Amino acid sequence: MFAGRLCTHRPDRKLRDSALPALSFHAAALLALGASACGGDEGGATKWTDTSPIIVQAEDGQLGASVMRLSDAMDSSITYVTAGVNVTDPPADVNDSRVSSQVVQFPAAGTYQIYARVRIGPDGSNDDSLFINTATDGGAPTWANVNGISGWDVPGGPRYQESGLVSTRGGNSAPGVWRWALFDGPQLVIPEGQLTQTISFATREDGLDIDRFAFALMGEDYSVGFTTAQLDAGEAGEKVPLPVLPPPFTPPADQPPLVMGTSKYLGSVCCGSQRDYLENYFNQIVPENASKWGSVEAVRGTYNWAGVDEALELAEAHGFPFRFHVLVWGSQQPAWIATLPPEEQLQEIRNWFQAVADRYGDRLDFLEVVNEFSHQPPTAANSGNYVDALGGAGETGFDWVITAFRMAREIFPPSVKLMINEYSIINDDRLTELYLQVIHRLQEEDLIDAVAEQGHAFTTTGPIEPLVERLTQLGETGLPLYINEFDLDGPPPQQLVSYQRVFRAFWEHPNVQGITLWGYRDGMWRTQQDATLVYPNGAEKPALRWLKGYLRGTAPVVSGPTSSTLSAGAAKGTEVATFSAMGPGGAAIPAGADVSWGFVEGGPDQAVLQQALSFAPGTGRLELVKPLAAGTYQARVYADVNATVSDLYDVEITVQ
């Protein structure tokens, strides 16, 4: 293992910025790792250990032509980079103008986690993403989309926690504050004998500011965690044991989808990383990116239908409904359309519609004509810059939407259901009202057949009752309602709570005719937020185990006390409560069934309960591991019987 020394301080930033503007990752690493560069004595450096971070400046090295190098207006010692363009498609190669390539000298081979010190821009979720190249074999780049960044404020920030480890969840995603974030998903695997690596990152949304990256070597059974203060100072962190995953799981080849024999469907995106075992869980298909205009016709007049064909062929092979996503949107549109004159743009839009109709016609069940008309219209500020070619705001304020639907109704067969799609409608009264105005106007000309709301995790964190009420308002249009892009974040215990709270409410709403998950495996767009339903080894998370039982009517049922009272001096091993599990309808659990127990957050004291309570192995006996202070606690218990999870069972624990 590398035995050099790592500076615990950075080279003087003001001097470096003025005197060494082109300092590369390689040079920075040599300054950090070489003894002479640290002052030549032990007083100026510490030995590198396997818990030390390798910290480098984002602005060092070769910056792409569209990447801006700036000084912070509030702190001139901070120099950072930010995007000069807003392009959400991954770079075609490392020569893209958004790509910055830099050289890092790694001290040892192995897998490295990636941290970054970033500042999210004023548009929040539209200013919080970048790409990083995870390929380290010298071949073609592999661009990981790091989206929805959140992290922990640096010292002085409003949510800084002195002893809090930087993590991928539970941090801060508010705009305007520098914070350290851990990328959950993208990692670098540094091979033996290839310790010198060219590391590339690319800008994506133009509001994200990037100050530094840090790389931390992982062990076989641990990662290295840091507080923000440790990362700021370049100090060693602490070893954090990796979670122990359930045994690997592969669904049987003949396992049917979770929903069968009902008018509603449960779908997922396809294909790529989400393709594996899709037909064993879901019964509706939509391409995630392959059917977007920018993917199909990146080069004017040249069409790439491969991804759409793959998804459609899978749907048709199993008789699943298929949705085309999407015709008109203000993101992931071909770059060439933006600079054409309006008349030519309109003709190209018509050509695009016609090309889709000519190839797929009545093979499509649903067609999203317009996506995110309010949040991401195809204006100059977004992607496409063709909203005026469709009529702009016009008399209604959304004439361009009406024009797009008129064109779609004219071009596509009557059997294709035309749909509009948006997000954050059901958690915003103003947007609900606007959405209804658009829908009603489209209904006046019989231009729309279905309404969709996306239902991402960030739109469902509030009370469930207002969300359901707004679904009812949308349903009062008389049109079928679909949740087109659904995901709920983790960690797994909280994800289970969220699925039982949100998914059930949506699924049981009389107007909702189908829900489509926006991915369920590693590689989905919210992998970093732990929104996947399976672990990397394929084992099903508790939320998916609950979905199986809930949708198939096979979930176990928990019985037991709803309250328990303990003495504040109760000793370790004291029984809190004992629960039992039954099959659906009160049936006995089969002999030899695999039964396990767990509990999740029922109030603000989850961390306290997790340390103080545990189920005795193989039983429903909940007992003390350590004493609990006087007070009232809420626990939510569940049984897992043969990989099928029950509804949560509430119990109140009083310690007096």
Side-chain angles (χ1 to χ4, degrees):
M1 180 167 288
F2 186 86
R5 296 182 295 170
L6 179 70
C7 292
T8 57
H9 64 280
R10 294 177 297 153
D12 183 81
R13 194 161 202 172
K14 292 181 179 178
L15 173 63
R16 188 205 66 218
D17 289 343
S18 61
L20 301 172
L23 185 66
S24 69
F25 264 10
H26 192 190
L30 291 177
L31 284 175
L33 298 172
S36 61
C38 294
D41 58 44
E42 293 299 321
T46 58
K47 291 184 180 297
W48 186 87
T49 71
D50 57 4
T51 60
S52 300
I54 301 170
I55 297 180
V56 290
Q57 308 301 319
E59 70 272 16
D60 291 342
Q62 185 65 46
L63 301 184
S66 298
V67 181
M68 298 186 294
R69 184 176 186 268
L70 302 172
S71 294
D72 191 285
M74 303 298 293
D75 184 348
S76 60
S77 70
I78 299 176
T79 304
Y80 63 92
V81 300
T82 194
V85 294
N86 192 85
V87 180
T88 55
D89 291 331
D93 53 43
V94 294
N95 297 316
D96 190 292
S97 65
R98 296 172 290 145
V99 174
S100 298
S101 297
Q102 314 180 10
V103 178
V104 178
Q105 179 69 42
F106 286 89
T111 300
Y112 286 78
Q113 287 188 293
I114 306 171
Y115 292 82
R117 189 175 188 262
V118 299
R119 179 171 59 189
I120 297 170
D123 285 343
S125 62
N126 289 321
D127 286 343
D128 64 351
S129 67
L130 56 84
F131 293 104
I132 192 157
N133 176 22
T134 59
T136 55
D137 57 2
T142 301
W143 296 108
N145 180 1
V146 184
N147 200 350
I149 294 174
S150 64
W152 297 84
D153 289 348
V154 295
R159 295 187 60 180
Y160 172 67
Q161 294 186 16
E162 183 176 1
S163 60
L165 293 181
V166 175
S167 70
T168 58
R169 59 186 70 93
N172 186 0
S173 59
V177 180
W178 286 110
R179 59 179 54 84
W180 279 100
L182 170 61
F183 296 169
D184 185 12
Q187 297 174 345
L188 300 179
V189 179
I190 307 302
E192 292 283 358
Q194 300 180 45
L195 302 186
T196 301
Q197 289 284 335
T198 298
I199 304 300
S200 302
F201 70 94
T203 60
R204 187 173 185 270
E205 293 171 315
D206 61 2
L208 183 70
D209 300 332
I210 310 166
D211 178 25
R212 300 178 234 168
F213 291 99
F215 307 100
L217 182 65
M218 299 177 65
E220 291 186 2
D221 58 356
Y222 68 87
S223 62
V224 178
F226 301 90
T227 65
T228 58
Q230 288 170 332
L231 286 172
D232 277 345
E235 296 174 348
E238 60 186 76
K239 295 182 178 180
V240 179
L242 294 176
V244 178
L245 299 182
F249 176 74
T250 299
D254 60 351
Q255 176 177 296
L258 302 184
V259 175
M260 295 288 287
T262 174
S263 60
K264 297 188 180 187
Y265 63 66
L266 178 66
S268 181
V269 294
C270 185
C271 292
S273 62
Q274 306 307 300
R275 171 63 187 89
D276 289 350
Y277 313 112
L278 194 149
E279 64 270 34
N280 300 124
Y281 290 106
F282 307 104
N283 64 340
Q284 181 262 337
I285 303 294
V286 57
E288 180 181 13
N289 292 306
S291 51
K292 294 169 183 173
W293 193 3
S295 299
V296 175
E297 197 183 0
V299 177
R300 189 177 184 182
T302 301
Y303 297 92
N304 176 12
W305 303 106
V308 188
D309 289 346
E310 180 186 5
L312 181 54
E313 288 166 7
L314 174 66
E316 290 180 333
H318 295 277
F320 297 162
F322 181 83
R323 184 172 91 243
F324 190 96
H325 169 82
V326 53
L327 292 180
V328 174
W329 188 29
S331 183
Q332 294 177 264
Q333 303 297 281
W336 53 263
I337 189 73
T339 56
L340 299 179
E343 300 80 8
E344 199 170 344
Q345 285 181 327
L346 183 60
Q347 184 57 53
E348 287 294 347
I349 295 168
R350 175 172 287 275
N351 292 346
W352 160 236
F353 281 33
Q354 192 65 57
V356 176
D358 288 346
R359 187 171 185 88
Y360 300 114
D362 57 10
R363 296 170 70 190
L364 305 180
D365 295 286
F366 300 93
L367 173 65
E368 287 178 41
V369 180
V370 174
N371 184 41
E372 298 177 6
F373 78 98
S374 175
H375 289 95
Q376 200 85 359
T379 60
N382 296 313
S383 177
N385 190 30
Y386 56 75
V387 70
D388 289 338
L390 289 169
E395 181 181 349
T396 64
F398 42 82
D399 277 14
W400 65 275
V401 176
I402 300 170
T403 301
F405 272 86
R406 285 172 178 162
M407 192 181 300
R409 185 66 91 196
E410 171 194 344
I411 291 173
F412 286 87
S415 60
V416 179
K417 298 179 180 65
L418 304 186
M419 175 184 287
I420 192 169
N421 188 39
E422 248 295 1
Y423 71 88
S424 287
I425 296 297
I426 59 172
N427 58 325
D428 188 316
D429 283 332
R430 180 187 64 83
L431 285 179
T432 301
E433 182 179 351
L434 176 60
Y435 207 30
L436 288 170
Q437 290 177 15
V438 175
I439 294 166
H440 289 317
R441 182 63 183 81
L442 292 171
Q443 285 182 296
E444 289 176 6
E445 297 186 39
D446 190 27
L447 297 176
I448 188 170
D449 303 303
V451 175
E453 161 72 336
Q454 292 184 15
H456 291 299
F458 48 81
T459 71
T460 60
T461 56
I464 197 66
E465 291 80 7
L467 307 184
V468 171
E469 172 57 31
R470 294 185 188 109
L471 287 178
T472 299
Q473 289 179 259
L474 295 177
E476 288 172 352
T477 62
L479 296 171
L481 179 60
Y482 296 87
I483 308 297
N484 265 9
E485 303 178 22
F486 188 84
D487 45 58
L488 295 173
D489 298 342
Q494 183 56 48
Q495 186 186 47
L496 173 62
V497 173
S498 297
Y499 261 88
Q500 293 198 18
R501 184 180 73 92
V502 179
F503 183 92
R504 189 202 308 269
F506 287 3
W507 185 259
E508 295 180 2
H509 195 284
N511 299 114
V512 173
Q513 300 302 302
I515 297 177
T516 303
L517 303 190
W518 214 239
Y520 82 112
R521 306 182 70 85
D522 269 15
M524 68 175 290
W525 83 297
R526 290 185 74 81
T527 295
Q528 286 184 270
Q529 289 74 28
D530 216 359
T532 58
L533 284 172
V534 298
Y535 295 102
N537 66 358
E540 298 170 342
K541 292 184 178 180
L544 181 52
R545 293 185 173 205
W546 172 77
L547 269 178
K548 287 197 306 184
Y550 167 67
L551 293 171
R552 293 174 175 169
T554 60
V557 178
V558 173
S559 64
T562 58
S563 63
S564 176
T565 302
L566 302 173
S567 167
K572 177 180 179 180
T574 299
E575 178 185 1
V576 176
T578 296
F579 304 91
S580 59
M582 301 172 290
I589 298 296
D594 182 9
V595 181
S596 60
W597 292 85
F599 63 92
V600 299
E601 180 179 3
D605 303 306
Q606 178 68 5
V608 174
L609 292 181
Q610 290 291 347
Q611 296 176 14
L613 304 178
S614 179
F615 277 99
T619 75
R621 175 187 165 97
L622 186 64
E623 56 188 29
L624 284 179
V625 175
K626 57 184 294 187
L628 274 170
T632 301
Y633 305 86
Q634 307 293 329
R636 309 192 73 189
V637 173
Y638 66 89
D640 187 331
V641 180
N642 291 335
T644 304
V645 166
S646 69
D647 282 353
L648 295 164
Y649 185 88
D650 294 314
V651 58
E652 182 177 88
I653 302 168
T654 302
V655 180
Q656 58 186 20

